[in-house]
Amino acid sequence: MKPIEIAKGIYDVGVIDWNIRDFHGYSTNLGTTYNAFLILDEKITLIDTVKKEFADHLIDNISQIADPEKIAYIISNHTEMDHSGSLPRVMHRIGEDKPLFCSKMGQKNLSRHYSRKWNYRAVENGEELSIGTRTLKFLETRMIHWPDSMFTYLREEKILFSSDAFGQHYAGPEKFDDSIGEAIMPHAKKYFANILMLYSPLILRLIENVTKLGLEFNMICPDHGILWRRDPAKIINAYIQWSSQKPEKKAVIVYDTMWHSTEKMAESIASGLCEEGIHVRPMKLREWHRSDIMTEVLDAKAVIAGSPTLNNGLYPTVSDFLTYMKGLKPLNKIGAAFGSYGWSGESAQLLQNELEAMKFDIAAPLLKIQYVPDKAGMDQCAAFGRTIGKAIKG
Ligand code: FEO
C-alpha cells in the first residue's frame, strides 16, 4: 500500500499489524498500527519507526517517497520497542552517523536497548529544530508513559506527533477520524484505560501546560491507530474526562467461579443493583479479557469483586486481575467483596484487603456463602447489591 500523504509533503510511512491479538497482555481484537512519519523538507525527517519485524516494510514505504539515504534527521519520540525496534535496521540503511533526536532519557534508554554509538542529539523541553521551511518543537512528556516520552510539534502545519498519547489499538481501512467517526472512541477509551490510566494526574497537568503554551492543533498524529484531523479537540477533551476519573453511576462485578456458586452470587448482586437503577455489568474473568474489564472500570463508580476460596486463597484469575488493576491505579472508586467457599472461606476477606489497599471505599460488609447459595443466600446477595446501588447514588 502506498504511504498516505497526511498533509502536503508529510507521509505516514508506518505499517499495519492486522493480526496481533495480544499486545503485551492487552487484547488487540482488531490489530494495531505502528505509525511513523516522513517529512519532506530541506532536511528530510523521519519521526519514529516501527516494530522490529516490520523494518523492511517501513524501509519499503519510505523508499516509495524518498531515497532512505537522503533522510537527514531521525526523531525518536519514545523508546518502547514497538516504535524503536526498527531503529538498528533503519540507521544501518540511512547512515549510522545521521543525527538521532530524542529526549535525554531517550538517549539513555535507547543506548540500553541497542548498545549502539549513534549520533544522539538529546533535546531539551521546548527546544526547536529547523528542518528547512519548517520548525519542529520538542515537548517533554516524561512518564506519559515512559521516562523518555516526548511529543514533536510541527509549528507551521500545527501538527502534533504525540507518540502513544491519543492512540488506539485499531487496524482498519481508515486513516483519519473523519472516516471512522464515533466508532473509534471505544478503542481510544480502552487504550487510555489500559495504558495511561495510572498517569491521569500527569496527563491533566500536561494538558494544562500545553494549553498555557497556546499551541493550536490542526492535526494530532499518534503512533497507533487513526489520526485526529477533523476534531483534534475531541480526543483532548476525552482525555481530560478520562483523566479526571469522575465516576458514572455504574458498577462492574468482576469475578470467577468454580462450581457456579460465586457466579450465582454475582448475578443476584447484579439484580439488586438493577433494582436501584444502576447500570451494572457482571464480568466473569474466564470469559472477559482483563483489558476489556479495565475499560469498564475506568468510569464505573463501584468495582465489586468476587472469588471462590481455592486452597485457602483467591482464585488465580482473580489474583491476576487484582494485580493488573492495582497497577493501573483507578481513582474515586467504591468497592465490595464476595465469594462462595467450602470450609475455610478466606477469599472475600482477601479481596476486601486488596480493594482497601487500592483506597476503594468499602460500600458494604463482605459477603460469603458456604457451598451453594439457597433462596435466603440469593436474597442476601440481592440486598448486598441494593446496598451498593444506594452507595453509588450517594
Ligand atoms: Fe506504543 Fe509505549 O509504545
Side-chain angles (χ1 to χ4, degrees):
M1 200 193 299
K2 191 168 163 54
I4 293 174
E5 189 173 29
I6 62 167
K8 190 152 180 52
I10 305 170
Y11 295 83
D12 183 353
V13 289
V15 301
I16 303 177
D17 190 349
W18 294 102
N19 292 311
I20 188 169
R21 291 293 177 269
D22 182 330
F23 189 97
H24 61 47
Y26 174 136
S27 71
T28 45
N29 301 337
L30 293 175
T32 193
T33 70
Y34 313 111
N35 303 334
F37 303 95
L38 190 71
I39 306 174
L40 301 185
D41 211 305
E42 287 163 28
K43 302 284 188 188
I44 298 177
T45 299
L46 176 66
I47 301 180
D48 290 328
T49 69
V50 300
K51 253 182 157 177
K52 183 181 177 182
E53 53 264 47
F54 294 96
D56 286 341
H57 194 154
L58 170 67
I59 290 168
D60 185 53
N61 284 350
I62 293 169
S63 302
Q64 293 184 57
I65 308 301
D67 178 352
E69 286 172 25
K70 297 225 163 86
I71 292 176
Y73 295 152
I74 303 114
I75 291 163
S76 170
N77 277 332
H78 176 30
T79 303
E80 196 165 6
M81 286 178 281
D82 49 331
H83 309 297
S84 71
S86 294
L87 264 178
R89 180 101 177 74
V90 168
M91 295 301 283
H92 180 72
R93 181 73 176 80
I94 70 176
E96 303 275 355
D97 59 337
K98 297 286 175 67
L100 172 53
F101 295 86
C102 56
S103 65
K104 277 188 187 147
M105 285 304 290
Q107 176 171 352
K108 196 170 168 187
N109 290 352
L110 287 169
S111 303
R112 293 303 299 255
H113 276 72
Y114 302 108
S115 305
R116 308 284 170 101
K117 289 195 171 14
W118 286 323
N119 182 9
Y120 289 109
R121 304 283 178 90
V123 297
E124 300 285 344
N125 183 37
E127 193 173 325
E128 295 189 340
L129 172 70
S130 170
I131 58 170
T133 63
R134 300 176 173 98
T135 308
L136 300 173
K137 187 182 185 74
F138 303 109
L139 302 168
E140 202 173 29
T141 60
R142 187 177 272 240
M143 292 320 300
I144 304 173
H145 71 131
W146 273 28
D148 48 69
S149 298
M150 68 175 194
F151 291 166
T152 298
Y153 180 68
L154 180 51
R155 266 196 0 205
E156 288 72 14
E157 277 92 346
K158 301 187 170 82
I159 298 176
L160 183 71
F161 298 98
S162 62
S163 185
D164 279 328
F166 310 120
Q168 337 87 46
H169 283 310
Y170 174 78
E174 309 89 348
K175 180 48 59 187
F176 298 101
D177 56 344
D178 37 286
S179 22
I180 190 165
E182 275 301 308
I184 198 61
M185 294 312 287
H187 300 284
K189 183 180 177 187
K190 179 174 177 179
Y191 187 96
F192 181 92
N194 287 278
I195 295 181
L196 298 170
M197 186 197 286
L198 70 161
Y199 303 114
S200 292
L202 286 178
I203 291 168
L204 286 175
R205 205 177 314 143
L206 174 70
I207 292 174
E208 198 183 313
N209 289 341
V210 170
T211 306
K212 277 186 202 153
L213 289 175
L215 300 182
E216 293 173 3
F217 305 116
N218 288 338
M219 200 183 302
I220 295 179
C221 300
D223 277 355
H224 297 289
I226 64 98
L227 316 181
W228 307 92
R229 74 174 176 190
R230 180 173 65 187
D231 186 10
K234 184 180 177 71
I235 190 65
I236 295 174
N237 289 333
Y239 266 49
I240 292 170
Q241 183 194 330
W242 296 329
S243 300
S244 304
Q245 292 198 42
K246 285 195 187 119
E248 294 178 9
K249 288 185 176 156
K250 173 178 154 183
V252 178
I253 304 176
V254 56
Y255 72 98
D256 216 328
T257 194
M258 287 174 69
W259 291 103
H260 302 292
S261 291
T262 303
E263 184 165 51
K264 282 182 181 156
M265 292 178 75
E267 288 173 5
S268 191
I269 293 166
S271 71
L273 282 151
C274 288
E275 283 173 42
E276 291 296 326
I278 301 297
H279 179 284
V280 57
R281 192 180 284 284
M283 304 180 94
K284 183 174 159 185
L285 277 156
R286 275 175 295 161
E287 308 300 336
W288 289 85
H289 195 274
R290 64 170 93 82
S291 51
D292 292 313
I293 299 176
M294 276 316 297
T295 311
E296 292 296 325
V297 166
L298 173 62
D299 53 12
K301 176 73 180 170
V303 180
I304 306 159
S307 173
T309 296
L310 175 66
N311 303 331
N312 304 108
L314 294 173
Y315 203 72
T317 51
V318 180
S319 292
D320 170 289
F321 179 75
L322 290 172
T323 301
Y324 188 63
M325 180 165 70
K326 193 183 220 169
L328 287 165
K329 297 188 171 69
L331 302 172
N332 311 321
K333 305 291 181 210
I334 63 173
F338 68 98
S340 72
Y341 68 101
W343 47 99
S344 57
E346 292 91 343
S347 64
Q349 184 62 59
L350 290 170
L351 281 175
Q352 185 166 302
N353 295 348
E354 289 295 324
L355 297 176
E356 285 171 342
M358 287 180 237
K359 300 191 169 41
F360 288 18
D361 289 333
I362 301 302
L366 63 84
L367 177 61
K368 56 187 200 177
I369 290 180
Q370 192 170 26
Y371 290 117
V372 179
D374 58 9
K375 167 77 173 58
M378 294 293 270
D379 288 347
Q380 239 184 315
C381 291
F384 181 78
R386 286 193 296 275
T387 301
I388 299 164
K390 287 186 178 77
I392 291 171
K393 291 191 281 188

